[in-house]
Amino acid sequence: MSAVFEVINLKKAFGGLVVTNDVSLSMVAGDRVALIGPNGAGKTTFVNLVTGALKPSSGEVRLRNEPVTRIGPTGRVQRGLVRSFQVTRLFQDMTPAEHVGLAVLQRTGKSAELHGNFLTRPAVMEEVYDLLERLGLYSLAHRKVREIAYGQQRLLELAIALALKPSVLLLDEPAAGVPQSDTGRIEEALANLPADLAVVMIEHDMDLVFRFAKRVVVLAAGTIIFDGLPADVTKDARVREAYLGSYANAGLNA
Amino acid sequence: MTEKTNSTLAAGAATTRSRLRAGFIKRDLYGFAAIVIVAAAGYVLFPDNLALLTRIIAIALLVLSLDLVTGYCGVATLGQAALFGSGAYAAGILSAHYGINDPLLMTLGGIFAGAVAGLICGIVMLRAHGLPQLVLSIALVYLFHEFANKASSWTGGSDGLSGIVLDPLFGLYEFDLFGHTAYFFGVVLLLIVFTLLRIVVRSPFGMLCRGIKEDPVRIRALGASPHKAVIKMYIISGAVAGTGGALSAISTQVVALDALSFTQSAEALVMLVLGGTGSLFGALVGTVIFMLFEDFVSAANPFHWLTMVGALLIVVVLFAPKGIFGTVQDLLSVRKNTTGETRP
Amino acid sequence: MQTVFSIAVDALAYGMVLFVISIGLSVTMGLMRVVNLAHGGFAMIGGYIASYVARDLALGYGLALIAAVVFTILIAIPIERLLYRRIYGQPELTQVLMTIGITFCIIGIANFVMGPTLKTIPLAPSLQGSADLGFRTIPIHRLFAIACGLAVALGLWYAIEKTNFGIKLRASVDNAAMAAALGVRTEIVYAVSFAAAVGLAAFGGVVGSEFLPVEPYYALRYMVTFLVVVSVGGAGSIPGALAACLLLGAIDTTGRYLMPEFGEFFFYLAVIAIICVFPSGLAGRAK
C-alpha cells in the first residue's frame, strides 16, 4: 500500500538550536499511530511543521504523494491533512450544528456563498446531523457551545475534524482536560473513527495510547528514537533512558 | 449513546430546521416592518425636516457597513468614512463632470467606487493588527481626505463639490425642494440593502466571518483563509458605504470634504457601539438615536454636544457594553428565558 | 542650502516635541496595553495650565512649566482611578471608545472653561530671539525644544535602564503576570508610569505649543499624530519612538516646506508604507 502521509528528513532549527532533527515518518491508510515523548521533545514543533504553521529548515512533507512543504496551512487542510487542538478552539456563541455545518460547507467549497444558509441545504444538514448523531451530540445540535460540557466540546472538535473528510488526522491530546467520567465516550469515538483514515495521536495518557495505537513513535530531543509496536515500547532501552533519565534501570528493575 | 432510527432522525432534523428558519424569517420581517413604520412615522412627524431624515438614512448605511467589518469580522476601524466619501464623490463627479444625472446610475457609481475603496482599505488594513491596524485606518481616511482636497479640479476641494443635477427618478419623479423623492428613494435603498445584508450575514460566508472574529486560527484549521474572507467583506462593506455616500450626494446635491473625515468615521463607530455591534439592528437603532439627539442638542451648543457624546460613550462602555439593542435584547431574553436558540 | 538647514532644524525640533509628548503614550501602551486616544488631551491640559499661569497670572515660563506638569498629573489621577482602571485588559474596541469618550469630554470642558480661542504661552525672555551660529541663526526656542527632547530621552533611558524602578517596569512590560509573581507590585508600576506619561505629555504640550498651538480641538487634531508615532516606533520602545519621531518629523516638515499644497498627503502615505512594511513598528518585536 502506498503512503498517504510521509515526512522525509524534516529538520527545524531556531538559530543554532535544532528542535526537530532529521525526522522521517511514513503512514498508510488506516494507520493508528501514537506520537509520544517527554516534555520538550519537540512534539508541538513537529505538529506545527507538519500542518504548515512553521517552515522547516530542510526536509519534505508529502500528502498522498504530493509534496506540500511549500503549501500553507489552509492548503494542507484542503488536501486532507486536518488537526484537532489540545485545548478546544470553538466559537462560544455558535451551535454544534453551525460548527459542523461550517466545516462541511468549507470542504465542499461553499463557505464563501453569500446567500441561503446551511439550514436551507438539506444535503449539508443531513451530513451534519449524521455526524453529530455518530458522536452522540445530536440532542445538543442547536445549543450554544458555551452551554455544553467540556467533554462534549472535545467530541465536537472530533466531529468538526471528521466533517472535513481528512485522509490524515492529527489529534493533539484528544482527551486532555476531560473529566474521568467522560473519557469513555471519547475513547469510543476514537475507536469508531473511519477505518481508512490515517490517524496520528499525540498523547500523554499511556493507557489510551495502548488501547488506541497500533504503532507508537517516540520523539525525544527532536529525533525519533523509537518506531514500532506498542508492546515493544516499554522494553526499549533508549525510550526508558529518554523518559526516566539515569534512573531508567534502577527504577524499573527494582 | 441512544441510537435513533434514520427516519426519526431525519424527521426531527426537518422540524428543527423549519422551526429555526421560521425564526430567522420572522426576525427579518420584524426588522423590515420596523424600518417601514419608523420611516412612515418620520415622514408624518417631521414633514418639514425630510432632509435630516434622509441624512440619517445615508449615515445608517455607513454605520451598517461599519458593522460588517467591526461587528462581524472584528476589525476595529476609525476610517470607515473613506468608503462612504468615495461613494459620495463618485456619484457627485458622475453628475457634475460627466453629465450622468440619472440617480440610479449615480448610485451604481457610488456602490462601485465604495467597493473599490473597500478593496484598497481592506488590503492595507490587513497588513497589521492591533494598534498599528487602527492607525492604518486613521491614516487611510486622512490620505483619502488629503487626496480629495488636492484634487480640487475634480472634487471642488474644501469648497465642496457642487453642480450636481438630477434627472427625475425613473424619468417620473422629480427631486423636489422639500426632499420627498430623495426621502422615499433613501427608504427604499435602505430596505433593499438591509434585506440583502440580512441574507449575507446569515449565509455560509457570514458564518465564516463570525468565526473569524472569534478565532482566526480555528478558521484556518478548517482550511479557510481569514484574509480572503475579510477582504471580501470589506468589498461588500464598501459597496454599502458607497450606497450611503451616493444617497447623501443625491439628496443634498453637494459633497463636502467632511464626507471623508476622521470625525465622520469616529462618529459612525460611536453610533454603532451605542446601538450594539454584530446584529445590523443595533446599527440602525444607534444611528437614529444618535442623529436625532445630535440634531436637538448641537443646535443649542456644539461644544456641549461633544461633552455629552463623550459622557454617553463612557456610560455605554461601562454600563451597556452590548449597546442599546444588545442590552434590550438581553433583558427580553432573560424574561422570556429562551431555550438557547442562536441568533444569526 | 539655507532652506535645507531651516528644514533640518525645524524637523529636529518638531520631532523632539513629538517625542516628548508621545513617549509616555508609547510606554503606557507597551506596559498596560491600553490604546489611549486621550493622551493628546493631557498635553492640551498642560498647555492650558501653562498659558493661564504664564499669561493670566504672569508668573513666568519656568513656573508655568512646573505647574502644568503637576496640575495635569493631579487632574489625571482620578481619571485613571475611575475610568482607565476599568479598561485594562479589555478588548481594543472598548479601549478606543472609552478614550475617545474621554477626549470628547476634555475638548468640551476645555472649551467651556477656557473658550474656543487659541491660547499662547509667553516664552521666557531668554528663550526669545535667535542664536547666531556664525553662518546661520536659529530661533532659541527651537534649540530649547531639541534640548528638552534630548534631556527626556536621556532621563528616561537612565530611569529605565539604570534604576530599580526601571527593572520593575521592564519586567512588567515583558510579562506582567511573571513580574507580579516575583513580587513586583504591578499596580504601583502602572500608576507611576501613567502619572509620568501624563506629566511628560503636559511638559511636551507646553514646550511644543509653538508647533502645536493650544486650542480646544488640539486633543483630536493631534491624536492621530501621536498614535502614529507610537505605532510606527513600536509600543514600549524608546529608541523606536525616537527614530519614529525624527523620521516623521522630517517627512512632515519637509512636506510642509516643499509641497505645502499637498498638505499632509505624503505624511500619511509614509505612515501607511512604514506600517505595511513593519507591521509591529520600527523597533517592535515580532509576535
Side-chain angles (χ1 to χ4, degrees), chain C residues 140-216:
Chain C
I140 295 179
H141 175 261
R142 299 286 190 271
L143 290 177
F144 175 65
I146 294 171
C148 286
L150 287 175
V152 166
L154 275 176
L156 273 177
W157 173 80
Y158 182 80
I160 289 176
E161 297 292 330
K162 300 286 169 188
T163 64
N164 212 348
F165 178 79
I167 294 170
K168 291 178 183 171
L169 179 73
R170 278 182 290 150
S172 307
V173 171
D174 230 27
N175 186 337
M178 192 62 208
L182 291 174
V184 175
R185 295 185 57 191
T186 47
E187 73 273 28
I188 293 186
V189 175
Y190 286 7
V192 172
S193 310
F194 189 87
V198 167
L200 280 174
F203 182 69
V206 180
V207 173
S209 64
E210 303 275 309
F211 294 97
L212 312 172
V214 177
E215 41 96 22

Side-chain angles (χ1 to χ4, degrees), chain B residues 11 21 37 64 122 129 157 174 239 246 255 267 280 295 323 339:
Chain B
R21 278 179 70 186
I37 292 169
L64 280 174
H129 292 282
E174 288 278 352
V255 182
E267 279 191 4
L280 300 184
D295 187 59
T339 51

Side-chain angles (χ1 to χ4, degrees), chain A residues 218 225-227 231-242:
Chain A
V218 184
I225 57 166
F226 177 88
D227 185 346
D232 298 334
V233 69
T234 49
K235 299 185 201 130
D236 189 275
R238 291 181 66 192
V239 174
R240 295 163 65 123
E241 172 81 22

Side-chain angles (χ1 to χ4, degrees), chain A:
Chain A
M1 215 194 287
S2 73
V4 290
F5 174 59
E6 277 177 290
V7 173
I8 303 156
N9 300 333
L10 205 62
K11 213 173 192 177
K12 177 72 187 177
F14 294 107
L17 181 69
V18 180
V19 284
T20 303
N21 194 5
D22 215 14
V23 167
S24 296
L25 183 70
S26 172
M27 290 174 70
V28 295
D31 253 351
R32 294 287 186 272
V33 173
L35 178 69
I36 64 172
N39 283 332
K43 291 182 304 252
T44 310
T45 310
F46 178 75
V47 169
N48 286 337
L49 287 172
V50 167
T51 55
L54 282 176
K55 286 206 186 331
S57 310
S58 65
E60 197 169 67
V61 179
R62 298 170 77 91
L63 268 175
R64 288 186 288 196
N65 291 321
E66 182 195 1
V68 294
T69 323
R70 256 161 224 93
I71 291 172
T74 55
R76 295 188 197 190
V77 175
Q78 287 158 10
R79 284 167 180 75
L81 175 74
V82 172
R83 69 167 298 185
S84 76
F85 291 95
Q86 187 182 343
V87 179
T88 50
R89 302 192 80 125
L90 300 169
F91 311 123
Q92 297 300 312
D93 278 329
M94 290 197 201
T95 64
E98 286 178 314
H99 281 84
V100 178
L102 191 55
V104 172
L105 289 164
Q106 171 59 32
R107 187 196 78 223
T108 49
K110 292 187 181 124
S111 70
E113 288 190 2
L114 290 172
H115 60 90
N117 59 36
F118 69 110
L119 294 170
T120 62
R121 294 164 208 261
V124 174
M125 278 316 279
E126 209 166 290
E127 198 180 336
V128 169
Y129 284 134
D130 186 51
L131 258 172
L132 291 175
E133 169 68 17
R134 261 162 59 197
L135 291 166
L137 295 170
Y138 177 76
S139 57
L140 305 168
H142 297 286
R143 285 281 175 84
K144 283 188 185 184
V145 161
R146 70 167 83 250
E147 296 166 3
I148 71 177
Y150 194 71
Q152 292 162 335
Q153 295 189 13
R154 304 277 354 177
L155 289 167
L156 178 55
E157 280 269 347
L158 268 181
I160 295 168
L162 290 177
L164 295 167
K165 294 235 169 108
S167 48
V168 181
L169 180 59
L170 261 171
L171 297 172
D172 197 350
E173 300 195 32
V178 176
Q180 198 68 43
S181 54
D182 286 352
T183 49
R185 290 179 61 182
I186 294 193
E187 281 195 42
E188 189 189 335
L190 291 176
N192 289 330
L193 287 175
D196 59 344
L197 180 62
V199 185
V200 189
M201 181 170 78
I202 294 157
E203 191 50 76
H204 281 298
D205 180 349
M206 291 310 285
D207 289 339
L208 189 56
V209 168
F210 287 128
R211 278 200 291 273
F212 171 80
K214 301 200 188 82
R215 181 176 154 201
V216 176
V217 172
V218 184
L219 201 62
T223 36
I224 292 183
I225 57 166
F226 177 88
D227 185 346
L229 294 173
D232 298 334
V233 69
T234 49
K235 299 185 201 130
D236 189 275
R238 291 181 66 192
V239 174
R240 295 163 65 123
E241 172 81 22
Y243 268 91
L244 304 168
S246 53
Y247 298 104
N249 299 320
L252 288 175
N253 290 342

Side-chain angles (χ1 to χ4, degrees), chain C residues 33-239:
Chain C
R33 314 252 177 265
V34 174
V35 181
N36 183 11
L37 301 190
H39 190 76
F42 294 112
M44 179 182 85
I45 293 174
Y48 271 119
I49 293 172
S51 169
Y52 182 75
V53 172
R55 201 178 63 167
D56 300 278
L57 302 181
L59 291 176
Y61 192 75
L63 206 60
L65 206 50
I66 295 166
V69 172
V70 171
F71 283 102
T72 307
I73 291 175
L74 287 181
I75 290 170
I77 286 172
I79 298 179
E80 198 265 348
R81 287 260 153 157
L82 291 174
L83 299 178
Y84 280 90
R85 290 248 167 131
R86 310 224 187 176
I87 56 168
Y88 294 158
Q90 295 271 324
E92 208 171 85
L93 185 61
T94 311
Q95 300 181 344
V96 165
L97 292 165
M98 168 72 95
T99 53
I100 283 193
I102 295 173
T103 310
F104 282 176
C105 284
I106 291 178
I107 295 174
I109 294 168
N111 183 69
F112 180 69
V113 178
M114 308 299 287
T117 53
L118 206 137
K119 293 275 185 255
T120 55
I121 306 169
L123 289 171
S126 54
L127 294 178
Q128 291 165 358
S130 297
D132 196 349
L133 295 183
F135 63 103
R136 195 74 187 98
T137 55
I138 308 179
I140 295 179
H141 175 261
R142 299 286 190 271
L143 290 177
F144 175 65
I146 294 171
C148 286
L150 287 175
V152 166
L154 275 176
L156 273 177
W157 173 80
Y158 182 80
I160 289 176
E161 297 292 330
K162 300 286 169 188
T163 64
N164 212 348
F165 178 79
I167 294 170
K168 291 178 183 171
L169 179 73
R170 278 182 290 150
S172 307
V173 171
D174 230 27
N175 186 337
M178 192 62 208
L182 291 174
V184 175
R185 295 185 57 191
T186 47
E187 73 273 28
I188 293 186
V189 175
Y190 286 7
V192 172
S193 310
F194 189 87
V198 167
L200 280 174
F203 182 69
V206 180
V207 173
S209 64
E210 303 275 309
F211 294 97
L212 312 172
V214 177
E215 41 96 22
Y217 276 102
Y218 183 109
L220 205 56
R221 186 156 295 153
Y222 307 115
M223 169 200 281
V224 182
T225 314
F226 305 142
L227 285 174
V228 162
V229 167
V230 174
S231 60
V232 167
S237 157
I238 293 179

Side-chain angles (χ1 to χ4, degrees), chain B residues 92-147:
Chain B
I93 287 171
L94 276 183
S95 169
H97 291 283
Y98 292 99
I100 297 175
N101 300 333
D102 182 80
L104 292 178
L105 285 180
M106 289 166 69
T107 308
L108 279 180
I111 292 173
F112 180 75
V116 171
L119 175 66
I120 295 169
C121 290
I123 289 173
V124 172
M125 288 282 287
L126 287 178
R127 292 287 309 169
H129 292 282
L131 173 70
Q133 188 179 51
L134 194 71
V135 170
L136 273 181
S137 72
I138 302 173
L140 275 169
V141 73
Y142 272 101
L143 192 69
F144 275 65
H145 184 274
E146 293 297 313
F147 180 77

